[in-house]
């Protein structure tokens, strides 16, 4: 109680504000703006989620088809008088029967099946012999050579009637998947509605089925005319060898550089300059690294074109800044008290770094490395310049050395290549390839999360 | 200006372990330690007291050259341990730090097992010839730090899982495991509760038998309890250095008296 209060109660105090039960104008405005901000935030998150859902729906609806492939199951009689006229099973003589010799065998098998099921179709009159037959359009143009390869691999099959799985042509495949309809077939010169009727009839009998398409995941790419045979397998190996190169170069170089810069290098203008430039390098467009790789690795060092080794080196350049930045960040996050403790018991600088700081920074380093690798895995532009895009990856590498040095493609390059081709069946495969690529990226990110959780230590 | 009263009457009774003369420390342009002269005795607890920022921790870190790790820090003058200049270019700071152990403000055990925390120093200095040697070193270090009974059953448990006071004693054990001759403690109890503080103080008193202990503390009561000698720092100057009893009861300098009675600091 002051004197003023004693003489005139309440005079020295501010006037009583309005009741707490009633919001004043200012508070109301403040609350309203807070509510608005929350709405903005939720709208932003909502838009983001909507795009994500759209992306996933688009990818899955377009791409899942690639994981299924239509095939005929035919009993093919491998006639000895066609394939091995002398009957001595000499492999060179069997090889004399070219792929054309196998066409009539397949046609005959279809006609037999038409007869067996009693299907009424004008195609039953189709010629068996000859250079071409309307029946051929039902099958992949690679079917004959697949059959021939099987016979050459196992000549004992000659003379028998064997169950074979013969890939359907991309249009028959598209018809069963709903990609091709009867209207568009009318404009197609390879296939007409008569074929589709036959396919429907055979499908009812179970002679044509959609099956899971392992070849898409493990198989090599195929030429323009055979989308039904194209697979991602060889490009995956290309990506794998590239990632080995990236890991082998960028992890040791990146970690060594960051440890030196963070723990040993003096702080002066020169190291500041290096630091700024490393941050800038992380933002350099990848195509710039591509042309650098072209100039240095191919034109100057004469490394083979289109080789995963070169691709890996280019991607190493690209990944290094990412790894250095994340490694330095995780080295910085190790508390200085740990360094003090190590130095305090008489450890040298290097001992304190390698015995104490580095193990504690490991989860961060690994996470950064994996994120960098994932980035590199999805990179297409630099590969364009060193010839890994546009290369048809149709051969598996013969060994580890060839895996690094033989021309190959990479997953994103393969996807780009498919998306470029005319046949809509390739378009479907491009989406399918994206599913595989995203599968890899997701796996890598999950590994990064697990490693971080696993090795994170509290102190 | 630096009219430090020389209290050398009972210095003669014990050996001088550390002697600093004309010691100057600069952090860039800041003159952090100004012309400090001090003789620190063996088998004695010497306390550095003073208000925050007075340079007592900085000076402590000069004694095992921990300031070397700070780029902008520059030390002048000479600091001798057993008559050898520790800033001589021939001296390797790593060897020095094995001889001058240090305990920090915040308990900072390595995120490893209790055993490895202690064994680390002896391992890198090659003090143990065999596994059983190492076991003995670990046990005796833990015993000297008065924590053996608490941890003997869980030597392989992480050191970071101990309580704060146990962690600090673990750090002391880690420091004594390398057989140092001097033990520097930078506010070793500031992060501890009173019970843990009491345990650590008791330990410091025991350690006095074997080491020259230098302790930086904010608590004047603590200085009075554990130390035999006290040095009062103010604004980078060593204002007064003498027997603890005398500093606290009969300070010679006006600034010391003001600090002790709570008028500055």
């Amino acid at each position: 109680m002051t004197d003023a209060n004693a003489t005139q109660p309440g005079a020295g105090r501010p006037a009583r504000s309005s009741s707490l039960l009633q919001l004043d104008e200012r508070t109301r405005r403040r609350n309203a703006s807070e509510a608005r901000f929350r709405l903005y935030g939720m709208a932003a998150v909502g838009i983001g989620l909507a795009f994500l859902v759209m992306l996933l729906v688009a990818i899955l609806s377009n791409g899942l088809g690639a994981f299924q492939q239509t095939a005929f199951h035919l009993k093919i009689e491998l006639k000895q008088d066609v394939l091995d006229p002398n009957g001595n099973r000499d492999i060179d003589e069997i090889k004399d029967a070219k792929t054309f010799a196998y066409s009539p065998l397949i046609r005959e098998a279809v006609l037999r099946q038409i007869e067996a099921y009693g299907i009424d179709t004008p195609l039953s009159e189709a010629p068996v012999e000859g250079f071409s037959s309307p029946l051929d359009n039902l099958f992949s143009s690679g079917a004959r050579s697949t059959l021939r390869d099987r016979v050459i691999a196992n000549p004992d099959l000659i003379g028998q009637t064997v169950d074979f799985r013969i890939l359907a042509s991309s249009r028959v495949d598209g018809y069963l998947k709903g990609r091709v309809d009867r209207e568009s077939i009318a404009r197609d010169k390879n296939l007409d509605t008569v074929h589709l009727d036959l396919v429907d009839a055979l499908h009812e009998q179970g002679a044509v089925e959609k099956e899971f398409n392992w070849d898409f995941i493990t198989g090599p790419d195929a030429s323009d005319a055979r989308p039904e045979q194209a697979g991602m397998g060889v490009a995956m190996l290309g990506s794998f060898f590239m990632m080995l190169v990236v890991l082998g170069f960028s992890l040791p170089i990146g970690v060594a550089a960051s440890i030196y810069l963070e723990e040993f290098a003096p702080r002066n203008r020169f190291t500041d300059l290096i630091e700024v430039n490393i941050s800038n390098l992380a933002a350099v467009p990848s195509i710039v690294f591509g042309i650098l790789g072209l100039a240095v690795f191919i034109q100057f060092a004469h490394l083979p074109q289109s080789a995963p080794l070169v691709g890996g080196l280019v991607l190493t350049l690209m990944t290094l800044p990412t790894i250095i930045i994340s490694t330095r960040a995780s080295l910085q996050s190790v508390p200085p008290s740990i360094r003090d403790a190590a130095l305090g018991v008489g450890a040298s600088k290097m001992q304190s770094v390698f015995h104490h700081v580095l193990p504690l920074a490991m989860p961060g380093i690994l996470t950064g490395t994996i994120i960098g690798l994932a980035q590199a895995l999805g990179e297409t532009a630099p590969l364009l310049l060193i010839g890994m895009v546009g290369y048809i990856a149709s051969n598996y590498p013969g060994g580890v050395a060839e895996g690094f040095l033989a021309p190959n493609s990479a997953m994103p390059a393969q996807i780009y290549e498919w998306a470029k081709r005319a046949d809509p069946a390739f378009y479907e495969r491009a989406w399918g390839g994206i599913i595989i690529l995203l599968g890899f990226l997701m796996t890598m990110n999950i590994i990064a999360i697990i490693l971080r959780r696993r090795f994170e230590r509290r102190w | 200006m630096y009219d430090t009263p020389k209290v050398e009457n009972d210095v003669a009774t014990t050996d001088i372990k550390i002697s600093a003369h004309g010691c100057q420390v600069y952090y860039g342009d800041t003159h952090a330690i100004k012309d400090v002269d001090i003789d620190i005795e063996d088998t004695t607890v010497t306390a550095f007291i003073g208000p925050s920022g007075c340079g007592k921790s900085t000076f402590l870190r000069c004694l095992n050259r921990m300031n070397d790790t700070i780029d902008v820090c520059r030390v002048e003058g000479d600091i001798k341990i057993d008559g050898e200049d520790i800033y001589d270019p021939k001296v390797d700071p790593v060897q020095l730090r094995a001889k001058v152990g240090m305990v920090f403000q915040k308990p900072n055990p390595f995120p490893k097992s209790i055993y490895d925390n202690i064994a680390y120093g002896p391992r890198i200095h090659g003090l143990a010839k065999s596994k059983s040697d190492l076991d003995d070193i670990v046990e005796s270090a833990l015993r000297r730090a008065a924590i053996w009974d608490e941890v003997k059953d869980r030597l392989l448990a992480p050191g970071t899982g101990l309580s704060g006071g146990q962690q600090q004693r673990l750090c002391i054990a880690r420091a004594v495991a390398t057989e140092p001759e001097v033990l520097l403690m930078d506010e070793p109890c500031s992060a501890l509760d009173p019970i843990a503080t009491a345990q650590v103080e008791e330990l410091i008193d025991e350690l006095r038998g074997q080491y020259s202990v230098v302790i930086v503390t904010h608590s004047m009561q603590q200085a009075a309890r554990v130390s035999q000698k006290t040095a009062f720092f103010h604004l980078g100057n060593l204002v007064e250095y003498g027997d603890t009893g005398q500093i606290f009861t009969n300070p010679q300098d006006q600034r010391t008296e003001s600090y002790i009675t709570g008028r500055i600091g």
Side-chain angles (χ1 to χ4, degrees):
Chain A
M1 277 283 194
T2 60
D3 290 347
N5 283 344
T7 51
Q8 205 179 355
R13 290 188 299 185
R16 261 181 73 132
S17 60
S18 55
S19 156
L20 273 179
L21 297 174
Q22 214 169 11
L23 288 181
D24 61 13
E25 188 51 31
R26 212 182 144 71
T27 314
R28 214 186 334 263
R29 274 210 308 274
R30 220 155 50 182
N31 290 351
S33 82
E34 196 171 314
R36 268 201 309 279
F37 182 75
R38 280 186 195 194
L39 271 182
Y40 297 151
M42 282 193 286
V45 172
I47 291 172
L49 281 180
F51 273 114
L52 183 66
V53 169
M54 267 157 59
L55 182 77
L56 282 180
V57 168
I59 290 176
L60 291 180
S61 63
N62 282 305
L64 280 181
F67 290 90
Q68 289 206 313
Q69 193 62 48
T70 309
F72 290 86
H73 289 274
L74 298 175
K75 287 191 198 327
I76 296 176
E77 188 187 356
L78 299 167
K79 291 181 180 161
Q80 179 164 337
D81 55 329
V82 176
L83 304 179
D84 187 18
N86 299 329
N88 55 11
R89 298 291 184 271
D90 181 2
I91 198 77
D92 290 322
E93 283 181 34
I94 295 172
K95 280 182 182 167
D96 277 343
K98 299 300 176 203
T99 47
F100 286 117
Y102 289 84
S103 294
L105 303 181
I106 301 176
R107 293 173 197 155
E108 218 172 46
V110 179
L111 290 176
R112 258 206 310 280
Q113 220 140 34
I114 291 175
E115 203 178 339
Y117 296 138
I119 299 165
D120 179 26
T121 166
L123 286 172
S124 55
E125 306 300 323
V128 170
E129 298 296 330
F131 186 72
S132 77
S133 157
L135 286 173
D136 290 352
N137 294 333
L138 290 170
F139 311 110
S140 160
S141 56
R144 295 169 301 192
S145 53
T146 315
L147 189 60
R148 179 167 176 266
D149 291 344
R150 288 277 298 276
V151 171
I152 288 172
N154 187 6
D156 293 338
L157 293 175
I158 294 175
Q160 302 176 26
T161 301
V162 186
D163 269 326
F164 275 108
R165 178 175 172 271
I166 297 290
L167 278 183
S169 72
S170 66
R171 280 178 186 73
V172 171
D173 180 49
Y175 175 61
L176 285 187
K177 286 175 183 168
R179 189 178 68 228
V180 175
D181 55 29
R182 281 166 185 271
E183 262 172 62
S184 63
I185 277 299
R187 281 174 270 124
D188 195 310
K189 56 185 194 310
N190 294 318
L191 219 58
D192 54 49
T193 44
V194 179
H195 289 95
L196 299 184
D197 292 336
L198 175 59
V199 169
D200 280 338
L202 287 173
H203 186 50
E204 259 171 52
Q205 301 289 344
V208 187
E209 286 297 349
K210 282 191 290 181
E211 291 158 347
F212 188 76
N213 188 7
W214 279 112
D215 287 343
F216 177 61
I217 299 172
T218 60
D221 189 17
S223 67
D224 276 6
R226 295 175 286 129
E228 63 279 348
Q229 280 192 317
M232 196 79 170
V234 175
M236 259 192 244
L237 280 178
S239 278
F240 171 74
F241 281 108
M242 249 169 33
M243 288 305 111
L244 282 187
V245 174
V246 175
L247 188 67
F249 281 100
S250 65
L251 184 63
I253 297 177
V255 171
S258 351
I259 291 178
Y260 177 73
L261 282 175
E262 197 55 48
E263 305 281 342
F264 293 95
R267 293 269 177 276
N268 55 29
R269 218 170 274 165
F270 183 61
T271 46
D272 282 351
L273 190 74
I274 291 178
E275 214 158 294
V276 169
N277 277 302
I278 288 174
S279 311
N280 285 343
L281 272 184
V284 166
S286 53
I287 195 123
V288 176
F289 287 107
I291 206 155
L292 176 73
L294 174 65
V296 174
F297 298 128
I298 293 181
Q299 289 169 350
F300 177 72
H302 294 294
L303 291 173
Q305 257 188 44
S306 309
L309 174 67
V310 179
L313 287 173
V314 171
L315 294 179
T316 300
L317 295 180
M318 236 194 64
T319 317
L320 264 179
T322 315
I323 292 189
I324 292 180
I325 289 171
S326 67
T327 304
R328 293 191 64 180
S330 47
L331 287 174
Q332 275 163 10
S333 72
V334 174
S337 67
I338 294 293
R339 293 181 179 83
D340 279 351
L343 294 178
V345 294
S348 68
K349 185 86 195 171
M350 198 165 140
Q351 284 172 330
S352 90
V353 170
F354 281 90
H355 295 168
H356 301 289
V357 178
L358 201 55
L360 289 174
M362 220 50 201
I365 294 174
L366 290 179
T367 312
T369 306
I370 292 174
I371 302 286
L373 279 185
Q375 253 176 29
L377 186 67
E379 197 56 69
T380 325
L383 305 182
L384 205 71
L385 287 161
I386 54 161
M388 291 185 82
V389 177
Y391 180 79
I392 295 184
S394 51
N395 294 312
Y396 291 99
V400 176
E402 218 174 280
F404 287 117
L405 294 171
N408 204 332
S409 192
M411 280 195 277
Q414 183 73 72
I415 291 167
Y416 173 71
E417 184 57 30
W418 282 338
K420 228 169 50 175
R421 291 185 193 170
D423 195 318
F426 276 118
Y427 186 66
E428 178 188 80
R429 283 180 138 65
W431 285 98
I434 282 174
I435 294 180
I436 296 183
L437 183 63
L438 286 181
F440 271 96
L441 295 181
M442 232 145 75
T443 316
M444 289 172 83
N445 279 306
I446 290 170
I447 291 174
I449 292 170
I450 292 174
L451 281 177
R452 195 165 47 208
R453 291 266 164 85
R454 193 78 185 270
F455 289 112
E456 208 161 48
R457 303 244 198 118
R458 310 250 170 256
W459 54 73
Chain B
M1 185 173 172
Y2 308 118
D3 51 346
T4 314
K6 297 286 179 210
V7 188
E8 287 177 342
N9 44 342
D10 44 13
V11 166
T13 56
T14 32
D15 300 330
I16 304 297
K17 189 71 186 172
I18 306 171
S19 75
H21 286 287
C23 182
Q24 320 273 354
V25 179
Y26 302 89
Y27 281 117
D29 296 332
T30 319
H31 195 176
I33 294 286
K34 298 164 189 163
D35 204 22
V36 166
D37 293 308
I38 193 169
D39 289 317
I40 293 167
E41 295 164 16
D42 205 1
T43 63
T44 303
V45 177
T46 306
F48 290 176
I49 61 170
S52 292
C54 67
K56 53 194 189 304
S57 285
T58 302
F59 184 65
L60 187 78
R61 291 168 68 94
C62 289
L63 301 180
N64 68 345
R65 291 184 59 174
M66 281 299 273
N67 284 334
D68 288 16
T69 58
I70 302 164
D71 280 342
V72 294
C73 183
R74 197 154 46 84
V75 180
E76 285 171 12
D78 58 44
I79 300 175
K80 292 193 170 101
I81 292 183
D82 292 335
E84 293 172 337
D85 185 359
I86 61 170
Y87 280 90
D88 191 286
K90 286 194 289 260
V91 171
D92 188 320
V94 168
Q95 246 174 323
L96 170 71
R97 288 183 201 130
K99 192 170 169 169
V100 183
M102 186 153 190
V103 176
F104 297 86
Q105 188 168 356
K106 230 183 95 199
N108 56 354
F110 300 128
K112 300 175 181 239
S113 71
I114 292 171
Y115 184 93
D116 286 336
N117 260 284
I118 309 297
Y120 181 69
R123 262 192 205 131
I124 59 173
H125 294 299
L127 298 182
K129 288 183 183 57
S130 63
K131 176 83 177 74
S132 63
D133 254 12
L134 195 58
D135 290 346
D136 293 343
I137 291 176
V138 170
E139 181 176 340
S140 83
L142 288 169
R143 277 188 195 285
R144 269 184 284 175
I147 192 182
W148 171 253
D149 290 330
E150 288 156 70
V151 300
K152 64 181 176 207
D153 299 324
R154 45 172 173 156
L155 289 176
L156 296 181
T160 41
L162 298 172
S163 73
Q166 288 174 325
Q167 285 190 14
Q168 193 61 301
R169 278 179 288 149
L170 180 68
C171 292
I172 294 174
R174 182 176 65 192
V176 300
T178 54
E179 298 294 339
E181 295 166 23
V182 179
L183 210 50
L184 309 178
M185 299 187 167
D186 191 355
E187 298 180 37
C189 300
S190 64
L192 303 184
D193 65 55
I195 294 171
T197 301
Q199 289 168 331
V200 171
E201 284 179 3
E202 201 178 316
L203 173 60
I204 292 170
D205 200 50
E206 284 167 27
L207 293 172
R208 176 162 72 94
Q210 291 158 291
Y211 311 97
S212 167
V213 180
V214 185
I215 174 171
V216 166
T217 176
H218 258 119
S219 150
M220 281 175 281
Q221 290 86 341
Q222 184 171 56
R225 282 194 300 264
V226 301
S227 71
Q228 286 76 51
K229 296 282 230 172
T230 297
F232 171 64
F233 286 78
H234 186 237
L235 300 176
N237 298 309
L238 174 60
V239 174
E240 190 165 350
Y241 174 51
D243 283 346
T244 302
Q246 186 236 327
I247 293 270
F248 280 97
T249 53
N250 185 20
Q252 306 291 309
D253 193 286
Q254 184 59 38
R255 288 166 288 177
T256 317
E257 193 189 344
S258 304
Y259 181 68
I260 291 189
T261 52
R263 280 200 292 274
I264 58 170

